Amino acid sequence: MQHTFKHKVYHVLEVARGKKNGVNWLVNILIMSIIALNTVAIILHSVRSIRREFDEVFVDFEYFSAVFFTIEYCLRLWVCTENEKYKHPIWGRLRYMTSTGGIIDLLAILPFYVSHFTSDTGLIRILRLFRVFRLFKFSRYVHALRVIEGVIKEKREELVLSLVFLIFLLLIASSVMYYLESPAQPRVFSSIPATLWWGITTITSIGYGDIYPVTILGKVFGGIIAISGIAIIALPTGILASGFAEHINIHKKEREKHRFCPHCGKELP
């Protein structure tokens, strides 16, 4: 009986697929609604006038949210062994706790409990900032966010490679620009670390205008780096675009294979 109840709880907490009614769907809507309300509360809490007037409401809602998400986390930790990936009663649960979803669920509640063991105002403010992780819980229920997560996992090697190229270009450009401009602007281009800021704003095409070359060689080199930066920044964009296209095509094929009845929600043969 325990196994049957545990299995039912597992399916209730899982993301609703096919059938858009029933307990599973209602629980999904409830969790998403509380996540959305938490997001609104975090935003409104930053407004001083609203915070002063509704401080007790914010505190009560934070306690309610922490208890709600704690119960959800404990239930997910209990029923995760129903999933083949986490079948082992000990190692399976540890594997779930270190998964992306498990870490997000833990970070959504951990700051609330840690804040009760410290009086450091600065630390408490940082812990409050971590409440933003509750927003990432949407990724479990919103298909678009799951697609983004899947694409990043599939293309992580290519993305890391493009990041390495970007870092190399940044270091080389900043080093060369330092030696070209430091004689003319010793205060502005005082060191290679200081010149890194110029490299970041140039490669990303932001160009704040607070630091820029004045020599002819510096301007020519800066132009070359600006053009090269566009090409380097475009690399991860192209990688992600191709990943999205592949993921969407795979998803379409899976949907054609697995069709659900619009009335009962069961998979059609």
Side-chain angles (χ1 to χ4, degrees), residues 151 154-155 236-249:
V151 169
E154 289 173 7
K155 300 293 181 179
T237 306
I239 292 167
L240 289 173
S242 65
F244 278 121
E246 292 172 10
H247 204 93
I248 289 168
N249 288 332

Side-chain angles (χ1 to χ4, degrees), residues 94-157:
L94 288 173
R95 189 177 178 184
Y96 169 77
M97 290 173 70
T98 55
S99 67
T100 304
I103 291 170
I104 289 172
D105 288 340
L106 182 62
L107 289 175
I109 59 174
L110 194 62
F112 172 80
Y113 295 105
V114 175
S115 63
H116 284 74
F117 294 96
T118 180
S119 58
D120 188 345
T121 308
L123 180 59
I124 291 173
R125 287 175 67 87
I126 293 170
L127 290 171
R128 283 176 179 173
L129 179 64
F130 272 88
R131 292 182 300 174
V132 176
F133 277 98
R134 291 174 186 175
L135 183 60
F136 287 98
K137 289 170 72 68
F138 265 124
S139 61
R140 184 179 280 119
Y141 305 97
V142 181
H143 174 69
L145 296 175
R146 293 200 302 273
V147 169
I148 293 171
E149 182 185 351
V151 169
I152 292 173
K153 284 182 178 179
E154 289 173 7
K155 300 293 181 179
R156 59 182 178 272
E157 291 182 4

Side-chain angles (χ1 to χ4, degrees), residues 61-109:
F61 182 68
E62 175 63 19
Y63 272 94
F64 165 76
S65 299
V67 171
F68 180 87
F69 289 133
T70 301
I71 293 171
E72 183 206 358
Y73 179 72
C74 292
L75 286 174
R76 288 190 185 279
L77 196 60
W78 175 51
V79 302
C80 70
T81 52
E82 294 294 311
N83 190 323
E84 286 295 323
K85 288 172 63 178
Y86 315 114
K87 196 171 183 180
H88 194 277
I90 298 174
W91 302 115
R93 287 189 169 92
L94 288 173
R95 189 177 178 184
Y96 169 77
M97 290 173 70
T98 55
S99 67
T100 304
I103 291 170
I104 289 172
D105 288 340
L106 182 62
L107 289 175
I109 59 174

